[in-house]
Short mmCIF file of all heavy atoms in Angstrom, two decimals:
data_model
loop_
_atom_site.label_atom_id
_atom_site.label_comp_id
_atom_site.label_asym_id
_atom_site.label_seq_id
_atom_site.Cartn_x
_atom_site.Cartn_y
_atom_site.Cartn_z
N MET U 3 112.78 -32.15 -30.53
CA MET U 3 112.05 -33.17 -31.21
C MET U 3 111.93 -32.86 -32.71
O MET U 3 112.00 -33.76 -33.54
CB MET U 3 110.67 -33.28 -30.59
CG MET U 3 109.81 -34.34 -31.23
SD MET U 3 109.67 -35.70 -30.11
CE MET U 3 108.51 -36.66 -30.95
N THR U 4 111.79 -31.62 -33.09
CA THR U 4 111.68 -31.26 -34.45
C THR U 4 112.98 -31.57 -35.19
O THR U 4 112.98 -32.03 -36.31
CB THR U 4 111.38 -29.74 -34.64
OG1 THR U 4 110.19 -29.47 -33.84
CG2 THR U 4 111.15 -29.38 -36.06
N GLU U 5 114.14 -31.35 -34.58
CA GLU U 5 115.43 -31.62 -35.19
C GLU U 5 115.60 -33.10 -35.51
O GLU U 5 116.08 -33.49 -36.55
CB GLU U 5 116.55 -31.14 -34.27
CG GLU U 5 116.59 -29.66 -34.15
CD GLU U 5 117.65 -29.17 -33.15
OE1 GLU U 5 118.49 -30.01 -32.74
OE2 GLU U 5 117.63 -28.04 -32.76
N GLU U 6 115.10 -33.99 -34.62
CA GLU U 6 115.23 -35.42 -34.85
C GLU U 6 114.37 -35.83 -36.04
O GLU U 6 114.81 -36.62 -36.88
CB GLU U 6 114.77 -36.18 -33.61
CG GLU U 6 115.70 -36.00 -32.43
CD GLU U 6 115.19 -36.70 -31.17
OE1 GLU U 6 114.24 -37.51 -31.29
OE2 GLU U 6 115.75 -36.45 -30.11
N THR U 7 113.17 -35.28 -36.17
CA THR U 7 112.30 -35.60 -37.30
C THR U 7 112.93 -35.18 -38.61
O THR U 7 112.90 -35.88 -39.59
CB THR U 7 110.92 -34.90 -37.14
OG1 THR U 7 110.41 -35.25 -35.87
CG2 THR U 7 109.97 -35.31 -38.22
N GLU U 8 113.57 -34.03 -38.62
CA GLU U 8 114.20 -33.52 -39.86
C GLU U 8 115.38 -34.43 -40.27
O GLU U 8 115.57 -34.70 -41.44
CB GLU U 8 114.69 -32.10 -39.69
CG GLU U 8 113.56 -31.07 -39.59
CD GLU U 8 114.06 -29.69 -39.30
OE1 GLU U 8 115.28 -29.45 -39.31
OE2 GLU U 8 113.19 -28.81 -39.06
N LYS U 9 116.12 -34.93 -39.29
CA LYS U 9 117.28 -35.80 -39.59
C LYS U 9 116.79 -37.08 -40.21
O LYS U 9 117.39 -37.58 -41.15
CB LYS U 9 118.06 -36.06 -38.33
CG LYS U 9 118.86 -34.91 -37.86
CD LYS U 9 119.64 -35.25 -36.61
CE LYS U 9 120.37 -34.02 -36.04
NZ LYS U 9 121.11 -34.33 -34.79
N VAL U 10 115.69 -37.64 -39.69
CA VAL U 10 115.18 -38.92 -40.23
C VAL U 10 114.70 -38.72 -41.66
O VAL U 10 115.02 -39.49 -42.52
CB VAL U 10 114.02 -39.43 -39.34
CG1 VAL U 10 113.34 -40.61 -40.01
CG2 VAL U 10 114.56 -39.83 -37.98
N SER U 11 113.97 -37.66 -41.98
CA SER U 11 113.44 -37.48 -43.29
C SER U 11 114.57 -37.20 -44.30
O SER U 11 114.50 -37.56 -45.43
CB SER U 11 112.42 -36.32 -43.34
OG SER U 11 113.02 -35.10 -42.94
N LYS U 12 115.59 -36.49 -43.89
CA LYS U 12 116.74 -36.26 -44.77
C LYS U 12 117.48 -37.52 -45.13
O LYS U 12 118.01 -37.67 -46.21
CB LYS U 12 117.71 -35.23 -44.14
CG LYS U 12 117.18 -33.80 -44.15
CD LYS U 12 118.21 -32.88 -43.54
CE LYS U 12 117.70 -31.48 -43.46
NZ LYS U 12 118.64 -30.54 -42.85
N GLY U 13 117.53 -38.48 -44.24
CA GLY U 13 118.22 -39.73 -44.50
C GLY U 13 117.56 -40.60 -45.53
O GLY U 13 118.22 -41.39 -46.18
N LYS U 14 116.26 -40.41 -45.76
CA LYS U 14 115.54 -41.22 -46.73
C LYS U 14 115.71 -40.74 -48.13
O LYS U 14 115.54 -41.51 -49.06
CB LYS U 14 114.07 -41.26 -46.34
CG LYS U 14 113.75 -42.04 -45.09
CD LYS U 14 112.29 -42.07 -44.87
CE LYS U 14 111.91 -42.84 -43.62
NZ LYS U 14 110.48 -42.91 -43.41
N LYS U 15 116.04 -39.48 -48.34
CA LYS U 15 116.15 -38.94 -49.68
C LYS U 15 117.41 -39.49 -50.42
O LYS U 15 118.44 -39.63 -49.80
CB LYS U 15 116.21 -37.43 -49.65
CG LYS U 15 114.89 -36.77 -49.28
CD LYS U 15 115.02 -35.27 -49.35
CE LYS U 15 113.74 -34.62 -48.94
NZ LYS U 15 113.83 -33.16 -49.03
N ALA U 16 117.25 -39.71 -51.68
CA ALA U 16 118.37 -40.17 -52.49
C ALA U 16 119.18 -38.97 -52.98
O ALA U 16 118.66 -37.85 -53.03
CB ALA U 16 117.83 -40.97 -53.67
N ASP U 17 120.41 -39.22 -53.33
CA ASP U 17 121.24 -38.20 -53.94
C ASP U 17 121.45 -38.52 -55.42
O ASP U 17 121.18 -39.65 -55.86
CB ASP U 17 122.62 -38.17 -53.26
CG ASP U 17 122.54 -37.67 -51.82
OD1 ASP U 17 121.72 -36.74 -51.56
OD2 ASP U 17 123.26 -38.22 -50.98
N VAL U 18 121.94 -37.56 -56.19
CA VAL U 18 122.21 -37.79 -57.62
C VAL U 18 123.22 -38.91 -57.75
O VAL U 18 124.22 -38.97 -57.08
CB VAL U 18 122.75 -36.50 -58.22
CG1 VAL U 18 123.14 -36.73 -59.72
CG2 VAL U 18 121.69 -35.38 -58.19
N GLY U 19 122.90 -39.86 -58.64
CA GLY U 19 123.78 -41.00 -58.86
C GLY U 19 123.42 -42.23 -58.08
O GLY U 19 123.87 -43.33 -58.38
N ASP U 20 122.56 -42.10 -57.06
CA ASP U 20 122.11 -43.26 -56.27
C ASP U 20 121.17 -44.14 -57.10
O ASP U 20 120.46 -43.64 -58.02
CB ASP U 20 121.35 -42.83 -55.03
CG ASP U 20 122.24 -42.26 -53.96
OD1 ASP U 20 123.45 -42.37 -54.08
OD2 ASP U 20 121.70 -41.72 -52.98
N THR U 21 121.17 -45.44 -56.80
CA THR U 21 120.24 -46.36 -57.41
C THR U 21 119.04 -46.53 -56.44
O THR U 21 119.28 -46.73 -55.26
CB THR U 21 120.91 -47.74 -57.70
OG1 THR U 21 122.02 -47.51 -58.52
CG2 THR U 21 119.93 -48.71 -58.31
N ILE U 22 117.83 -46.45 -56.99
CA ILE U 22 116.67 -46.60 -56.14
C ILE U 22 115.78 -47.73 -56.67
O ILE U 22 115.85 -48.06 -57.86
CB ILE U 22 115.83 -45.30 -56.05
CG1 ILE U 22 115.28 -44.92 -57.42
CG2 ILE U 22 116.64 -44.17 -55.41
CD1 ILE U 22 114.23 -43.82 -57.37
N SER U 23 114.97 -48.31 -55.80
CA SER U 23 113.96 -49.26 -56.16
C SER U 23 112.59 -48.62 -55.98
O SER U 23 112.29 -48.07 -54.88
CB SER U 23 114.12 -50.49 -55.23
OG SER U 23 113.09 -51.44 -55.56
N ILE U 24 111.75 -48.67 -56.99
CA ILE U 24 110.42 -48.03 -56.93
C ILE U 24 109.44 -48.96 -56.23
O ILE U 24 109.35 -50.13 -56.56
CB ILE U 24 109.95 -47.71 -58.38
CG1 ILE U 24 110.98 -46.75 -59.02
CG2 ILE U 24 108.56 -47.08 -58.33
CD1 ILE U 24 110.74 -46.50 -60.44
N LEU U 25 108.73 -48.40 -55.25
CA LEU U 25 107.85 -49.23 -54.40
C LEU U 25 106.38 -49.25 -54.82
O LEU U 25 105.66 -50.18 -54.44
CB LEU U 25 107.91 -48.71 -52.95
CG LEU U 25 109.27 -48.68 -52.31
CD1 LEU U 25 109.20 -48.05 -50.92
CD2 LEU U 25 109.85 -50.10 -52.21
N SER U 26 105.93 -48.27 -55.61
CA SER U 26 104.53 -48.28 -56.07
C SER U 26 104.37 -47.51 -57.38
O SER U 26 105.27 -46.84 -57.80
CB SER U 26 103.66 -47.62 -54.99
OG SER U 26 103.97 -46.27 -54.81
N GLY U 27 103.23 -47.69 -58.00
CA GLY U 27 102.93 -47.04 -59.25
C GLY U 27 103.12 -47.97 -60.45
O GLY U 27 103.35 -49.14 -60.26
N SER U 28 103.06 -47.40 -61.62
CA SER U 28 103.18 -48.25 -62.84
C SER U 28 104.55 -48.86 -63.05
O SER U 28 104.70 -49.86 -63.74
CB SER U 28 102.74 -47.46 -64.08
OG SER U 28 103.62 -46.37 -64.24
N GLU U 29 105.55 -48.24 -62.44
CA GLU U 29 106.95 -48.73 -62.60
C GLU U 29 107.37 -49.52 -61.34
O GLU U 29 108.59 -49.75 -61.16
CB GLU U 29 107.89 -47.51 -62.76
CG GLU U 29 107.54 -46.57 -63.90
CD GLU U 29 107.65 -47.26 -65.27
OE1 GLU U 29 108.40 -48.24 -65.43
OE2 GLU U 29 106.99 -46.76 -66.19
N LYS U 30 106.44 -50.03 -60.57
CA LYS U 30 106.72 -50.75 -59.33
C LYS U 30 107.70 -51.92 -59.58
O LYS U 30 107.55 -52.69 -60.53
CB LYS U 30 105.44 -51.29 -58.70
CG LYS U 30 105.64 -52.01 -57.42
CD LYS U 30 104.35 -52.48 -56.87
CE LYS U 30 104.54 -53.23 -55.55
NZ LYS U 30 103.26 -53.67 -54.96
N GLY U 31 108.70 -52.02 -58.74
CA GLY U 31 109.67 -53.11 -58.80
C GLY U 31 110.87 -52.80 -59.66
O GLY U 31 111.84 -53.54 -59.60
N LYS U 32 110.86 -51.77 -60.44
CA LYS U 32 111.95 -51.41 -61.30
C LYS U 32 113.03 -50.64 -60.50
O LYS U 32 112.71 -50.03 -59.47
CB LYS U 32 111.51 -50.58 -62.47
CG LYS U 32 110.64 -51.37 -63.42
CD LYS U 32 110.31 -50.56 -64.64
CE LYS U 32 109.47 -51.42 -65.61
NZ LYS U 32 109.09 -50.61 -66.79
N LYS U 33 114.23 -50.69 -60.99
CA LYS U 33 115.34 -49.93 -60.39
C LYS U 33 115.83 -48.92 -61.40
O LYS U 33 115.82 -49.15 -62.59
CB LYS U 33 116.48 -50.88 -59.97
CG LYS U 33 116.10 -51.80 -58.85
CD LYS U 33 117.24 -52.68 -58.45
CE LYS U 33 116.78 -53.60 -57.29
NZ LYS U 33 117.84 -54.47 -56.87
N GLY U 34 116.32 -47.80 -60.88
CA GLY U 34 116.83 -46.75 -61.73
C GLY U 34 117.84 -45.91 -61.03
O GLY U 34 118.04 -46.01 -59.83
N ARG U 35 118.51 -45.02 -61.82
CA ARG U 35 119.52 -44.16 -61.29
C ARG U 35 118.99 -42.73 -61.24
O ARG U 35 118.45 -42.20 -62.17
CB ARG U 35 120.75 -44.18 -62.23
CG ARG U 35 121.95 -43.40 -61.76
CD ARG U 35 123.13 -43.57 -62.66
NE ARG U 35 122.84 -43.24 -64.06
CZ ARG U 35 122.88 -42.01 -64.58
NH1 ARG U 35 123.23 -40.99 -63.83
NH2 ARG U 35 122.59 -41.81 -65.86
N VAL U 36 119.17 -42.08 -60.05
CA VAL U 36 118.68 -40.75 -59.81
C VAL U 36 119.53 -39.75 -60.61
O VAL U 36 120.76 -39.80 -60.56
CB VAL U 36 118.74 -40.39 -58.32
CG1 VAL U 36 118.30 -38.95 -58.10
CG2 VAL U 36 117.85 -41.31 -57.53
N ILE U 37 118.85 -38.88 -61.41
CA ILE U 37 119.58 -37.92 -62.20
C ILE U 37 119.31 -36.47 -61.69
O ILE U 37 120.11 -35.60 -61.90
CB ILE U 37 119.32 -38.03 -63.71
CG1 ILE U 37 117.86 -37.98 -64.00
CG2 ILE U 37 119.94 -39.28 -64.24
CD1 ILE U 37 117.52 -38.06 -65.50
N VAL U 38 118.14 -36.22 -61.06
CA VAL U 38 117.82 -34.89 -60.48
C VAL U 38 117.07 -35.10 -59.20
O VAL U 38 116.14 -35.95 -59.13
CB VAL U 38 116.96 -34.07 -61.48
CG1 VAL U 38 116.59 -32.73 -60.85
CG2 VAL U 38 117.63 -33.88 -62.80
N VAL U 39 117.40 -34.34 -58.15
CA VAL U 39 116.67 -34.36 -56.89
C VAL U 39 115.89 -33.07 -56.74
O VAL U 39 116.44 -31.97 -56.89
CB VAL U 39 117.64 -34.54 -55.67
CG1 VAL U 39 116.83 -34.54 -54.38
CG2 VAL U 39 118.43 -35.81 -55.83
N ARG U 40 114.59 -33.14 -56.52
CA ARG U 40 113.70 -32.01 -56.26
C ARG U 40 113.25 -32.01 -54.82
O ARG U 40 113.52 -32.93 -54.08
CB ARG U 40 112.49 -32.07 -57.23
CG ARG U 40 112.84 -32.09 -58.68
CD ARG U 40 113.26 -30.75 -59.10
NE ARG U 40 113.54 -30.79 -60.58
CZ ARG U 40 113.91 -29.76 -61.23
NH1 ARG U 40 114.01 -28.59 -60.64
NH2 ARG U 40 114.18 -29.87 -62.52
N ASP U 41 112.45 -30.96 -54.42
CA ASP U 41 111.98 -30.90 -53.04
C ASP U 41 111.09 -32.07 -52.69
O ASP U 41 111.20 -32.66 -51.60
CB ASP U 41 111.20 -29.58 -52.83
CG ASP U 41 112.10 -28.41 -52.82
OD1 ASP U 41 113.30 -28.56 -52.52
OD2 ASP U 41 111.61 -27.29 -53.07
N ASN U 42 110.15 -32.44 -53.56
CA ASN U 42 109.16 -33.52 -53.28
C ASN U 42 109.30 -34.77 -54.10
O ASN U 42 108.55 -35.71 -53.93
CB ASN U 42 107.76 -32.94 -53.52
CG ASN U 42 107.43 -31.83 -52.56
OD1 ASN U 42 107.75 -31.85 -51.41
ND2 ASN U 42 106.83 -30.77 -53.11
N SER U 43 110.30 -34.78 -54.96
CA SER U 43 110.47 -35.93 -55.85
C SER U 43 111.88 -36.04 -56.43
O SER U 43 112.70 -35.18 -56.18
CB SER U 43 109.44 -35.83 -57.03
OG SER U 43 109.72 -34.65 -57.77
N VAL U 44 112.08 -37.14 -57.17
CA VAL U 44 113.35 -37.31 -57.88
C VAL U 44 113.02 -37.70 -59.36
O VAL U 44 111.96 -38.26 -59.59
CB VAL U 44 114.28 -38.41 -57.27
CG1 VAL U 44 114.77 -37.97 -55.91
CG2 VAL U 44 113.54 -39.75 -57.17
N ILE U 45 113.92 -37.36 -60.23
CA ILE U 45 113.82 -37.76 -61.61
C ILE U 45 114.80 -38.91 -61.81
O ILE U 45 115.96 -38.80 -61.45
CB ILE U 45 114.12 -36.63 -62.59
CG1 ILE U 45 113.09 -35.49 -62.37
CG2 ILE U 45 113.99 -37.11 -64.06
CD1 ILE U 45 113.35 -34.23 -63.17
N VAL U 46 114.30 -40.04 -62.36
CA VAL U 46 115.04 -41.27 -62.42
C VAL U 46 115.17 -41.73 -63.83
O VAL U 46 114.19 -41.67 -64.64
CB VAL U 46 114.30 -42.39 -61.60
CG1 VAL U 46 115.11 -43.67 -61.65
CG2 VAL U 46 114.11 -41.93 -60.17
N GLU U 47 116.34 -42.20 -64.22
CA GLU U 47 116.54 -42.86 -65.54
C GLU U 47 116.42 -44.34 -65.36
O GLU U 47 117.17 -44.93 -64.57
CB GLU U 47 117.91 -42.46 -66.08
CG GLU U 47 118.16 -43.00 -67.43
CD GLU U 47 119.51 -42.56 -68.04
OE1 GLU U 47 119.81 -41.35 -67.88
OE2 GLU U 47 120.18 -43.39 -68.60
N LEU U 48 115.44 -44.95 -66.04
CA LEU U 48 115.21 -46.36 -65.89
C LEU U 48 115.91 -47.25 -66.86
O LEU U 48 116.11 -48.43 -66.69
CB LEU U 48 113.66 -46.59 -66.00
CG LEU U 48 112.78 -46.00 -64.92
CD1 LEU U 48 111.34 -46.20 -65.26
CD2 LEU U 48 113.15 -46.50 -63.59
N GLY U 49 116.33 -46.67 -68.01
CA GLY U 49 117.03 -47.41 -69.04
C GLY U 49 117.05 -46.67 -70.34
O GLY U 49 116.84 -45.46 -70.36
N ILE U 50 117.28 -47.36 -71.42
CA ILE U 50 117.37 -46.77 -72.73
C ILE U 50 116.28 -47.38 -73.66
O ILE U 50 116.15 -48.64 -73.67
CB ILE U 50 118.77 -46.99 -73.35
CG1 ILE U 50 119.89 -46.41 -72.47
CG2 ILE U 50 118.85 -46.41 -74.77
CD1 ILE U 50 119.88 -44.91 -72.40
N ASN U 51 115.61 -46.55 -74.36
CA ASN U 51 114.60 -47.01 -75.37
C ASN U 51 115.36 -47.49 -76.57
O ASN U 51 116.00 -46.72 -77.24
CB ASN U 51 113.66 -45.88 -75.71
CG ASN U 51 112.57 -46.29 -76.69
OD1 ASN U 51 112.64 -47.33 -77.32
ND2 ASN U 51 111.52 -45.46 -76.78
N PRO U 52 115.33 -48.81 -76.89
CA PRO U 52 116.10 -49.33 -78.02
C PRO U 52 115.71 -48.81 -79.37
O PRO U 52 116.51 -48.69 -80.28
CB PRO U 52 115.93 -50.82 -77.89
CG PRO U 52 114.68 -51.01 -77.14
CD PRO U 52 114.56 -49.83 -76.23
N LYS U 53 114.46 -48.43 -79.54
CA LYS U 53 113.99 -47.95 -80.87
C LYS U 53 114.48 -46.53 -81.16
O LYS U 53 114.77 -46.19 -82.28
CB LYS U 53 112.48 -48.00 -80.90
CG LYS U 53 111.92 -49.38 -80.87
CD LYS U 53 110.42 -49.38 -80.96
CE LYS U 53 109.86 -50.81 -80.92
NZ LYS U 53 108.40 -50.83 -80.96
N LYS U 54 114.55 -45.70 -80.13
CA LYS U 54 114.90 -44.30 -80.33
C LYS U 54 116.26 -43.92 -79.78
O LYS U 54 116.72 -42.80 -79.99
CB LYS U 54 113.85 -43.40 -79.71
CG LYS U 54 112.45 -43.52 -80.31
CD LYS U 54 111.50 -42.56 -79.64
CE LYS U 54 110.13 -42.68 -80.23
NZ LYS U 54 109.19 -41.76 -79.57
N ASP U 55 116.90 -44.83 -79.07
CA ASP U 55 118.17 -44.55 -78.39
C ASP U 55 118.10 -43.34 -77.43
O ASP U 55 118.99 -42.55 -77.33
CB ASP U 55 119.29 -44.32 -79.40
CG ASP U 55 120.02 -45.64 -79.77
OD1 ASP U 55 119.81 -46.61 -79.05
OD2 ASP U 55 120.75 -45.64 -80.74
N GLU U 56 116.91 -43.19 -76.78
CA GLU U 56 116.74 -42.14 -75.80
C GLU U 56 116.54 -42.73 -74.43
O GLU U 56 116.00 -43.83 -74.28
CB GLU U 56 115.49 -41.30 -76.15
CG GLU U 56 115.58 -40.56 -77.46
CD GLU U 56 114.34 -39.82 -77.78
OE1 GLU U 56 113.28 -40.05 -77.12
OE2 GLU U 56 114.35 -38.98 -78.72
N PRO U 57 116.94 -42.02 -73.37
CA PRO U 57 116.74 -42.53 -72.01
C PRO U 57 115.27 -42.56 -71.59
O PRO U 57 114.50 -41.69 -72.05
CB PRO U 57 117.54 -41.60 -71.14
CG PRO U 57 117.77 -40.37 -71.92
CD PRO U 57 117.67 -40.76 -73.38
N ILE U 58 114.87 -43.57 -70.85
CA ILE U 58 113.51 -43.64 -70.29
C ILE U 58 113.60 -42.99 -68.92
O ILE U 58 114.33 -43.47 -68.02
CB ILE U 58 113.02 -45.08 -70.20
CG1 ILE U 58 113.01 -45.71 -71.59
CG2 ILE U 58 111.64 -45.14 -69.58
CD1 ILE U 58 112.81 -47.20 -71.60
N LYS U 59 112.83 -41.91 -68.70
CA LYS U 59 112.90 -41.19 -67.43
C LYS U 59 111.49 -41.15 -66.83
O LYS U 59 110.50 -41.15 -67.54
CB LYS U 59 113.37 -39.78 -67.65
CG LYS U 59 114.77 -39.67 -68.19
CD LYS U 59 115.15 -38.25 -68.46
CE LYS U 59 116.48 -38.14 -69.15
NZ LYS U 59 116.80 -36.76 -69.51
N THR U 60 111.43 -41.04 -65.53
CA THR U 60 110.15 -40.86 -64.81
C THR U 60 110.41 -40.06 -63.52
O THR U 60 111.52 -39.96 -63.06
CB THR U 60 109.51 -42.22 -64.47
OG1 THR U 60 108.16 -42.01 -64.01
CG2 THR U 60 110.29 -43.00 -63.46
N VAL U 61 109.34 -39.52 -62.97
CA VAL U 61 109.38 -38.72 -61.70
C VAL U 61 108.78 -39.56 -60.63
O VAL U 61 107.67 -40.11 -60.81
CB VAL U 61 108.63 -37.37 -61.87
CG1 VAL U 61 108.65 -36.61 -60.59
CG2 VAL U 61 109.20 -36.59 -63.02
N ILE U 62 109.48 -39.71 -59.50
CA ILE U 62 109.02 -40.50 -58.39
C ILE U 62 109.01 -39.65 -57.12
O ILE U 62 110.01 -38.98 -56.81
CB ILE U 62 109.94 -41.72 -58.16
CG1 ILE U 62 110.06 -42.55 -59.44
CG2 ILE U 62 109.47 -42.62 -57.01
CD1 ILE U 62 108.77 -43.23 -59.85
N SER U 63 107.94 -39.71 -56.37
CA SER U 63 107.88 -39.00 -55.07
C SER U 63 108.82 -39.63 -54.09
O SER U 63 109.14 -40.83 -54.14
CB SER U 63 106.42 -39.10 -54.53
OG SER U 63 106.38 -38.67 -53.17
N HIS U 64 109.33 -38.85 -53.13
CA HIS U 64 110.25 -39.36 -52.09
C HIS U 64 109.59 -40.48 -51.26
O HIS U 64 110.27 -41.31 -50.73
CB HIS U 64 110.71 -38.25 -51.18
CG HIS U 64 111.65 -37.27 -51.82
ND1 HIS U 64 112.85 -37.65 -52.32
CD2 HIS U 64 111.56 -35.94 -52.00
CE1 HIS U 64 113.48 -36.58 -52.82
NE2 HIS U 64 112.69 -35.55 -52.63
N LYS U 65 108.28 -40.49 -51.24
CA LYS U 65 107.55 -41.49 -50.44
C LYS U 65 107.47 -42.84 -51.16
O LYS U 65 107.10 -43.84 -50.56
CB LYS U 65 106.07 -41.00 -50.17
CG LYS U 65 106.03 -39.74 -49.39
CD LYS U 65 104.60 -39.26 -49.28
CE LYS U 65 104.50 -37.92 -48.65
NZ LYS U 65 103.12 -37.45 -48.61
N ARG U 66 107.75 -42.86 -52.44
CA ARG U 66 107.46 -44.04 -53.27
C ARG U 66 108.74 -44.79 -53.75
O ARG U 66 108.65 -45.57 -54.67
CB ARG U 66 106.67 -43.63 -54.49
CG ARG U 66 105.46 -42.78 -54.18
CD ARG U 66 104.21 -43.53 -54.53
NE ARG U 66 103.06 -42.67 -54.28
CZ ARG U 66 102.20 -42.88 -53.24
NH1 ARG U 66 102.37 -43.91 -52.45
NH2 ARG U 66 101.14 -42.12 -53.10
N TYR U 67 109.86 -44.58 -53.12
CA TYR U 67 111.07 -45.31 -53.47
C TYR U 67 111.92 -45.64 -52.26
O TYR U 67 111.71 -45.08 -51.17
CB TYR U 67 111.90 -44.56 -54.48
CG TYR U 67 112.59 -43.33 -53.99
CD1 TYR U 67 113.76 -43.38 -53.25
CD2 TYR U 67 112.09 -42.05 -54.21
CE1 TYR U 67 114.38 -42.24 -52.75
CE2 TYR U 67 112.67 -40.89 -53.74
CZ TYR U 67 113.84 -41.02 -53.03
OH TYR U 67 114.45 -39.90 -52.57
N LYS U 68 112.84 -46.54 -52.45
CA LYS U 68 113.79 -46.93 -51.42
C LYS U 68 115.16 -46.96 -52.05
O LYS U 68 115.37 -47.41 -53.14
CB LYS U 68 113.45 -48.35 -50.88
CG LYS U 68 114.40 -48.82 -49.80
CD LYS U 68 113.90 -50.16 -49.25
CE LYS U 68 114.24 -51.27 -50.23
NZ LYS U 68 114.05 -52.63 -49.69
N VAL U 69 116.15 -46.39 -51.34
CA VAL U 69 117.54 -46.32 -51.85
C VAL U 69 118.15 -47.72 -51.72
O VAL U 69 118.07 -48.37 -50.69
CB VAL U 69 118.34 -45.30 -51.07
CG1 VAL U 69 119.83 -45.30 -51.54
CG2 VAL U 69 117.78 -43.90 -51.20
N VAL U 70 118.73 -48.20 -52.84
CA VAL U 70 119.44 -49.46 -52.89
C VAL U 70 120.86 -49.25 -52.58
O VAL U 70 121.52 -48.41 -53.20
CB VAL U 70 119.24 -50.15 -54.22
CG1 VAL U 70 119.97 -51.48 -54.29
CG2 VAL U 70 117.76 -50.35 -54.54
N LYS U 71 121.47 -49.99 -51.68
CA LYS U 71 122.87 -49.81 -51.31
C LYS U 71 123.75 -50.77 -52.03
O LYS U 71 123.41 -51.76 -52.52
CB LYS U 71 123.08 -50.01 -49.82
CG LYS U 71 122.37 -48.91 -49.03
CD LYS U 71 122.65 -49.04 -47.58
CE LYS U 71 121.97 -47.90 -46.83
NZ LYS U 71 122.20 -47.95 -45.42
#
């Protein structure tokens, strides 16, 4: 039973380069590209700041996003 639970939780995590949709928080509804995967979260690039030409990044918990196919 433990092995089945681990397989399900691994399937929900995004990989580097995947596009995700944020489900809750201040960035709810936005989509971004995963640039780093951590144990409990991912770092996502949401876009480019036009004033500074720097990427807009945020950290999202694995519980708070859905992978877009």
Side-chain angles (χ1 to χ4, degrees):
M3 180 107 173
T4 306
E5 293 175 12
E6 292 176 12
T7 306
E8 290 176 7
K9 288 180 183 178
V10 171
S11 63
K12 286 182 183 177
K14 291 183 179 181
K15 289 185 182 179
D17 292 321
V18 174
D20 286 350
T21 301
I22 64 167
S23 176
I24 301 170
L25 301 175
S26 63
S28 62
E29 306 294 338
K30 182 178 180 178
K32 293 185 179 179
K33 293 182 181 179
R35 185 176 53 87
V36 176
I37 53 177
V38 178
V39 178
R40 302 285 182 178
D41 289 336
N42 297 318
S43 60
V44 292
I45 300 175
V46 181
E47 184 176 316
L48 297 174
I50 302 292
N51 183 343
K53 293 181 181 178
K54 296 182 180 180
D55 270 346
E56 295 177 348
I58 301 169
K59 299 177 185 175
T60 189
V61 179
I62 305 293
S63 169
H64 289 300
K65 298 175 187 177
R66 310 246 183 249
Y67 70 80
K68 180 175 76 170
V69 177
V70 178
K71 293 184 179 181

